[in-house]
Amino acid sequence: MLKRKCRVWWPAHLSAAIQPQSSAFLFGWFLSSSDSVPIEIIVAFSIDEAAYSSIGSDLQGILQKVNKKMPACLQNRSGLSMLGYCAADSTSNGELHLHTEAAEQSISKDRSGSWTCGCHKVDGLVEQLRRCTESNPVQLVYGSYICSSSKLGWIPKLHHMHWDGQVVSHLDRHIVIYGTPRFGRHHFSLGSQHITEQPKAFSRKPKWVEGLVQKKSILDLDAVILAINCASAATSFFEEQVLPDRPALWFHNVCMFITLIWQLLAVCVASLSTFIYIILQLLHFFLSYGSESCIYAKLETLFIHTWRNIHVRCCQILYWPIFLHNNDSRSKSCVEYAEKASLCKHSMWLSIIIDVLLGNLLGLALLIHADSACLWISAITSDITNNWWLISCARLMGNPAGFKLNTELAGLLGTLSLNAIQIWSTLWGSVHILFILFIKGLAISGVLFGLTTPAALIIDVITISTTHISTLHWSISLLYSRQIQATTALWRLFRGQKWNPLRQRLDSYDYTVEQHVVGSLLFTPLLLLLPTTSAFYMSFTIMNMTIGFICMLIEVAISVIHATPYTKIFIWLLRPSRFPCGIWFEIFPIQSHAKEVVQEKIDLGESQSDVLVSSLHSYSYSIGELVRPHFRYLRSAVSRSSITSSVYGVFSGSLASPLYNLPFAPGAGLPPKMPWMSIPFKDYWILCHDAVFACNPLSHTH
């Protein structure tokens, strides 16, 4: 006869709580799909005889109420049921007997008053047990406790079980000790949901690969891990039905006082948030009223980064009560769901707080040292203009790096560049008196909206203040690209080829003598003037890309501030076990006296049964693995193809834009856009109040 595999998942607190002389009823789940898959018996909690006697005939209704609160995927696999009865037998050297009942099984008491396994007796207790477990074809019948080590305590040992009306005594038993997952401490996860990068799909797969994909895994632990994560919630739901809390008078008064304080806090936060909400709605109304004007469109184009960040921050401020208010009922039934809901609930408002704190540090520092910052920035801009841009243009008019350039063309391009830079510097110098106001506005925006808003404003101001550089770069790149295209076309003329734009290829073409003569007259001056144009083009390209690189660094910093998971980092520093990424089993050796008990023959069968005792543990993410998925936008924003196209555009002169031209997608790390919220003020106040009050740790007791 083949051995039946059975795996018992046993809570660690039961091994320490249940003593050899104690007795209790066990509750949990049975999971089994076929003969090849081991029977999974997940023990969730236990109750003593006094609590069980107080339940009476309401056990079935209580279990149905508890099962309705469990996740749907667990309900489809199995429901919470009574697994058996544990009783310590003083005549069996400290063994603990484990019983349960199916349709044809029974549990009864002998004359001494102890529980025994009588499969032919039925009494009132057995009738209740039968109604609660008749849907489970697999039931435990008899077992005992063996003491494997002082670390594990008392471990259950199964002797036989009933399977479809038959007694199965040939068992390969695997006892797995697990710590009951609890919110804020730890939970278990197989880690498959964290794998986002799937292997590349090939066009044709071998048949044996498709067979492996279609074959069901023997070790299917998804439902088991889900049941283990729901053990704590099932215990709480069951205790709410069976053992209602009756706190002492002083504890009740303390809870009422804390609730009152939390109520006042909710009123204050809701009132402040509603006041900010009214201001934002008024600003949005005035901006919407003037959005059709040409001035509004120009300002939105010039301050595109600032506008985008302000919109994101305003929507975050409007939506924080919705994210903070937890309406997910699944989070109450599973620790894993509760952890995910908590991270989603607290991530946005914590990101806002961190950003606003950093913005207040920058804003207060700028307000205190506004004059010094204004003088320092003016000195830097003057030094860059006089010692870099003007000197670079003057050097290009001579012999830069020993290269002989065309004097007339270099003088023309250099004079135009110097005049443009000098005129623009004079214009900015005339509005220098307004620069102190800009510094103070930058500080105020940081105090109100956080660090990302003044950082985005700095990008827009840098872009506007360097318009003359980007315009000169665009003009010279236009001249350079046309000269490159003309030189290339004339070179193909001498080779007897012509570019076919429809087929995107070079075709042979017979040119006339006149065309060759005109081409020779044009090719010679274009080729000789190309070094002069290239020198000016490369110089302004370096200037423009330096400005773009500075703006890109600031935008990357903005994206990092928005994308950093502050909640996960803080929780990981306090308790890394709340971020599991896999499980592992620690095998424990059984002591010699326990081995003798395990290896003795069972009365119901002639063959021996094997036993394995292990403890369930979980791997945890490192800080790098936890944070890395949130910064994948950097890899997607700066791709190899974008770098290649940028390099080609720089050398061909086709990448000519007034803005900075670097392979980085603007706004790649910003949160997704949310529609503008517009609800009555009273409803928004109620929403904020309920969101804050829902965070009361004692709210579930009322």
Side-chain angles (χ1 to χ4, degrees), residues 175 210 242 260 268 390 412 452 487-488 510 522 573 586 605 618 634 688:
I175 310 298
E210 297 179 355
V242 178
L260 179 61
C268 296
L390 295 179
L412 176 62
T452 55
T487 306
T488 305
D510 294 332
L522 293 176
L573 293 176
E586 180 183 3
S618 63
L634 289 175
C688 296

Side-chain angles (χ1 to χ4, degrees), residues 463 466-467 469-471 473-474 544 547 655-661:
T463 305
T466 57
T467 304
I469 299 298
S470 58
T471 304
H473 172 256
W474 176 80
N544 193 55
I547 298 169
L655 195 63
S657 174
L659 300 178
Y660 57 92
N661 303 309

Side-chain angles (χ1 to χ4, degrees), residues 474-664:
W474 176 80
S475 302
I476 195 66
S477 61
L478 185 63
L479 177 62
Y480 174 77
S481 61
R482 295 296 183 267
Q483 193 170 353
I484 288 290
Q485 294 174 6
T487 306
T488 305
L490 293 174
W491 175 251
R492 289 196 294 264
L493 183 145
F494 299 142
R495 298 172 58 191
Q497 294 178 343
K498 184 179 180 180
W499 175 253
N500 190 339
L502 298 178
R503 298 182 180 271
Q504 296 294 314
R505 69 181 185 184
L506 292 174
D507 295 335
S508 299
Y509 187 80
D510 294 332
Y511 293 95
T512 62
V513 177
E514 291 80 4
Q515 290 175 335
H516 278 281
V517 172
V518 174
S520 301
L521 295 176
L522 293 176
F523 180 77
T524 302
L526 286 176
L527 184 61
L528 295 177
L529 294 177
L530 184 60
T532 305
T533 309
S534 302
F536 277 87
Y537 170 74
M538 294 307 298
S539 177
F540 282 102
T541 299
I542 293 174
M543 294 181 186
N544 193 55
M545 294 196 69
T546 301
I547 298 169
F549 184 74
I550 295 173
C551 295
M552 189 194 74
L553 290 180
I554 299 175
E555 190 159 1
V556 169
I558 294 174
S559 302
V560 168
I561 293 175
H562 280 294
T564 302
Y566 302 102
T567 306
K568 290 185 177 181
I569 294 175
F570 291 156
I571 294 177
W572 186 90
L573 293 176
L574 297 176
R575 195 177 292 273
S577 58
R578 297 179 66 176
F579 300 96
C581 60
I583 60 175
W584 62 281
F585 298 90
E586 180 183 3
I587 309 300
F588 290 95
I590 302 178
Q591 298 176 1
S592 58
H593 69 276
K595 291 182 180 179
E596 296 176 359
V597 177
V598 173
Q599 295 180 358
E600 66 180 359
K601 294 184 178 180
I602 306 175
D603 296 337
L604 298 178
E606 298 296 333
S607 301
Q608 298 178 357
S609 299
D610 298 328
V611 64
L612 176 65
V613 179
S614 62
S615 179
L616 179 64
H617 300 277
S618 63
Y619 294 104
S620 298
Y621 280 110
S622 63
I623 187 66
E625 295 172 343
L626 188 67
V627 176
R628 189 181 302 117
H630 296 270
F631 297 107
R632 288 179 180 173
Y633 69 92
L634 289 175
R635 185 173 59 183
S636 61
V638 185
S639 60
R640 183 179 300 178
S641 59
S642 62
I643 295 176
T644 303
S645 60
S646 298
V647 172
Y648 175 78
V650 167
F651 284 99
S652 63
S654 60
L655 195 63
S657 174
L659 300 178
Y660 57 92
N661 303 309
L662 288 176
F664 181 78

Side-chain angles (χ1 to χ4, degrees), residues 53 69 229 243 283 299 437 475 562 574:
S53 301
K69 297 180 180 181
N229 290 330
L243 304 173
L283 292 176
L299 290 177
L437 299 178
S475 302
H562 280 294
L574 297 176

Side-chain angles (χ1 to χ4, degrees), residues 50-119:
Y52 181 82
S53 301
S54 63
I55 297 174
S57 60
D58 298 335
L59 180 59
Q60 184 178 5
I62 292 175
L63 292 178
Q64 290 179 356
K65 292 180 181 179
V66 175
N67 282 319
K68 289 180 180 179
K69 297 180 180 181
M70 294 291 103
C73 51
L74 182 59
Q75 296 181 31
N76 297 332
R77 293 293 303 272
S78 177
L80 183 70
S81 61
M82 180 185 290
L83 302 180
Y85 175 79
C86 296
D89 189 356
S90 59
T91 62
S92 301
N93 193 19
E95 294 182 345
L96 183 69
H97 296 270
L98 180 62
H99 305 268
T100 191
E101 178 63 23
E104 70 277 10
Q105 304 151 12
S106 66
I107 298 176
S108 61
K109 288 185 178 180
D110 57 11
R111 295 179 180 179
S112 61
S114 61
W115 292 89
T116 60
C117 178
C119 295

